[in-house]
Amino acid sequence: NYSDEKFQVLMKEMKSLTETAGGIPTVEMTQKLPRLNSRSAVGSGKLSEIKDAVNKEEIDLVISMNALTPSTNRYIEDQLGVRVIDRIQLILDIFAMRAKSREGKLQVELAQYDYLLPRLQGRRDYLSRLGGGIGTRGPGETKLETDRRHIRTMMSQIKKELAKLSEHRELTRSRRRSGSEFNIGLVGYTNAGKSTILRELTESDTYVEDQLFATLDPLTRKLTINGHDGFTLTDTVGFIEELPTTLIQAFKSTLEEMRYVDLLLHVVDASSADRMMHEQTVYNLIKELEMDHLPILTVYNKKDKIEGNFEPTLFPYVTISALEKDGVEALKQKIWAEIVRTSEKFEVEVD
Ligand code: GDP
C-alpha cells in the first residue's frame, strides 16, 4: 500500500532498526504483490529465493516488513528453517532493550506477551536455539514454551502491578515538580545523532545518581552550562515510522521520563534526503504523546555532511556537527537562553 518513496524510507529504517537491535543486515529482498499471499505472505517462487539466500549467506534471522499473522509466521519459519520475525517484533525488541524503569519494562513485556500469545501453538523447539538475540529479548523462549494460561496469568499480574505503579507515579511526580532541576529531553528520528549529542554535551560517562531520578532511565545525564549544574539531559529511543497503535503504549512508557522535561531538543539529520519526512514523523509522535505544549529547539545535526544549500524548516533551530564538535558550544548557549527565559517558572537560580 506504500508509495515507492515511502517504501524506500521504511526499508532504510528497517536496516537502521536491525542495527540498533544488534543485527547485521545482509540481504534485502522485496516483492510487489496486489495483496499478500495468504499462506506465505510472499509468493512461493520468492520464498524459495529467500531460502536460497538464507542458505548461501548463512542468515540467522529473517525480518518481514509486513506484519505476519501467526500462521504465516510459522509457515515461513518451517519452510526456511530459521527464525522469522516481523517489524513489530523487531521494534518490541528494541523497546525491551531500552526500557529502564520498572513501568517501562512491564509495559513492553505486556505488549510482547500480547503479541506472542497467539503464536505459541506449534512453535518448534529448535527455533529457540537459532538466530538468538533479536526478537528473543524480553519474556524469552523458555517462558514462551509454557502454556497460554500461565501467560494470561502473568499478563493480569503485570496489569495489576502497572496500576499500582501508576498511583505511585502521581506521588513522585509532585515531588519531582517541586525540584529545581531543568530537564531536557532529546527526541528525534532514529539515527539522527541523539546519543552522539548526549555524549558531546555532557562530556562524561557519569550517569545521574540523584535520588529523585533513581527510577529514571540511565540514559539521563547531568549537564553543566556556564558553570551551573542541576540540569539533566535524557536520550530517548528514536522515533519510528508507522508505529503500530498497539505499540504506542509500550513506546510511551519507554519515554516515561519525557513527561518531566522542560525543553525538547529535536535532533534532525540535516544531511538526509528524507529529512522532511523524518521531521513530520517526529512531530506526529510528539503530538500523539501529548508533548506538543513543550518548548522545542530543533538541532540540525550532521552539518559536515550537508550537500548544497540548506533551508531549515523548523524554528528556532541551531545547526551543528556533533561528530566534528562543531557548534556544540552554540547549542549550549541556546539551551542556556531557554533556561533563563523560563527560570522564574522553574525556580532555577541564574545570576
Ligand atoms: P541516534 O540513533 O539518534 O542516537 O544516533 P547516533 O548518535 O547513534 O548516531 C547515528 C550515526 O550518525 C552514528 O554513526 C554517528 O557516528 C553518526 N553521526 C552523529 N553525529 C554526526 C555528525 O555530526 N556528522 C556525521 N557525519 N555523522 C554523525
Side-chain angles (χ1 to χ4, degrees):
N1 289 337
Y2 300 120
S3 67
D4 286 353
E5 195 188 14
K6 183 79 182 179
F7 183 78
Q8 288 310 321
V9 170
L10 284 167
M11 279 310 271
K12 255 195 243 170
E13 189 197 55
M14 282 274 287
K15 277 194 209 162
S16 156
L17 290 172
T18 304
E19 281 163 5
T20 303
I24 305 161
T26 310
V27 183
E28 179 185 318
M29 297 176 102
T30 58
Q31 184 176 39
K32 240 186 185 169
L33 291 172
R35 77 182 97 87
L36 289 186
N37 181 303
S38 60
R39 194 168 58 167
S40 52
V42 294
S44 59
K46 183 56 81 174
L47 193 62
S48 53
E49 264 180 58
I50 298 174
K51 194 178 168 82
D52 290 345
V54 161
N55 293 334
K56 187 159 163 271
E57 306 286 338
E58 302 185 355
I59 303 285
D60 300 306
L61 177 72
V62 173
I63 308 176
S64 161
M65 181 141 89
N66 290 91
L68 299 174
T69 64
S71 62
T72 301
N73 200 341
R74 215 152 44 229
Y75 179 78
I76 304 180
E77 269 184 351
D78 283 347
Q79 294 299 308
L80 300 180
V82 291
R83 220 183 135 73
V84 177
I85 62 171
D86 62 20
R87 186 170 176 271
I88 295 176
Q89 271 176 287
L90 175 64
I91 293 170
L92 274 172
D93 195 71
I94 294 171
F95 288 174
M97 281 165 75
R98 299 293 296 254
K100 294 296 186 296
S101 68
R102 178 83 188 138
E103 183 171 16
K105 282 185 178 152
L106 288 174
Q107 287 285 11
V108 176
E109 206 169 316
L110 192 62
Q112 285 180 314
Y113 279 138
D114 196 41
Y115 193 79
L116 291 167
L117 198 56
R119 284 154 208 268
L120 283 175
Q121 234 165 26
R123 191 114 186 162
R124 293 248 199 101
D125 250 8
Y126 74 92
L127 289 168
S128 62
R129 282 177 277 113
L130 297 175
I134 302 178
T136 63
R137 280 173 280 245
E141 287 288 326
T142 49
K143 281 187 203 152
L144 292 186
E145 286 145 19
T146 60
D147 71 327
R148 286 156 180 251
R149 195 180 307 169
H150 182 53
I151 295 221
R152 288 218 180 84
T153 311
M154 283 195 286
M155 286 174 78
S156 73
Q157 275 168 1
I158 291 175
K159 282 180 193 158
K160 270 187 211 142
E161 193 175 342
L162 280 170
K164 265 197 216 138
L165 283 172
S166 135
E167 271 170 42
H168 179 71
R169 190 176 63 221
E170 291 304 320
L171 292 173
T172 47
R173 188 192 313 204
S174 52
R175 253 171 64 209
R176 197 172 281 142
R177 281 252 170 90
S178 65
S180 64
E181 294 86 357
F182 187 92
N183 306 315
I184 301 154
L186 280 170
V187 295
Y189 200 78
T190 172
N191 220 34
K194 293 178 299 299
S195 355
T196 312
I197 289 174
L198 181 76
R199 274 197 303 276
E200 278 313 312
L201 279 177
T202 56
E203 298 159 15
S204 77
D205 295 327
T206 51
Y207 291 126
V208 167
E209 282 156 23
D210 193 301
Q211 272 294 342
L212 280 177
F213 291 90
T215 59
L216 281 190
D217 195 306
L219 293 168
T220 296
R221 294 186 186 186
K222 283 181 177 165
L223 176 67
T224 305
I225 305 183
N226 298 345
H228 293 267
D229 46 27
F231 312 126
T232 64
L233 190 61
T234 301
D235 189 12
T236 64
V237 62
F239 283 20
I240 296 167
E241 290 286 341
E242 313 264 318
L243 197 64
T245 43
T246 49
L247 299 191
I248 293 271
Q249 200 50 44
F251 182 63
K252 271 186 182 169
S253 65
T254 64
L255 292 177
E256 178 63 7
E257 56 273 37
M258 284 295 143
R259 295 180 198 205
Y260 314 113
V261 304
D262 305 305
L263 169 69
L264 285 178
L265 295 184
H266 174 189
V267 182
V268 178
D269 177 351
S271 72
S272 167
D274 306 317
R275 184 193 105 209
M276 305 237 194
M277 234 186 282
H278 295 173
E279 288 175 356
Q280 197 55 52
T281 300
V282 172
Y283 255 80
N284 292 345
L285 274 166
I286 285 177
K287 263 206 208 114
E288 183 120 37
L289 298 168
E290 292 159 27
M291 299 194 301
D292 51 335
H293 61 284
L294 294 167
I296 303 177
L297 172 61
T298 300
V299 181
Y300 283 114
N301 187 34
K302 309 200 187 181
K303 178 181 169 179
D304 57 291
K305 265 176 74 185
I306 295 177
E307 285 164 14
N309 274 351
F310 175 71
E311 293 282 345
T313 29
L314 301 172
F315 300 87
Y317 72 94
V318 55
T319 313
I320 74 165
S321 165
L323 199 69
E324 299 190 340
K325 306 182 200 310
D326 179 7
V328 174
E329 188 52 36
L331 169 59
K332 275 195 168 186
Q333 293 315 317
K334 286 249 180 182
I335 295 172
W336 179 250
E338 188 61 30
I339 293 170
V340 171
R341 195 178 68 79
T342 52
S343 60
E344 273 181 2
K345 193 165 136 213
F346 293 102
E347 296 164 36
V348 173
E349 280 180 34
V350 291
D351 304 325

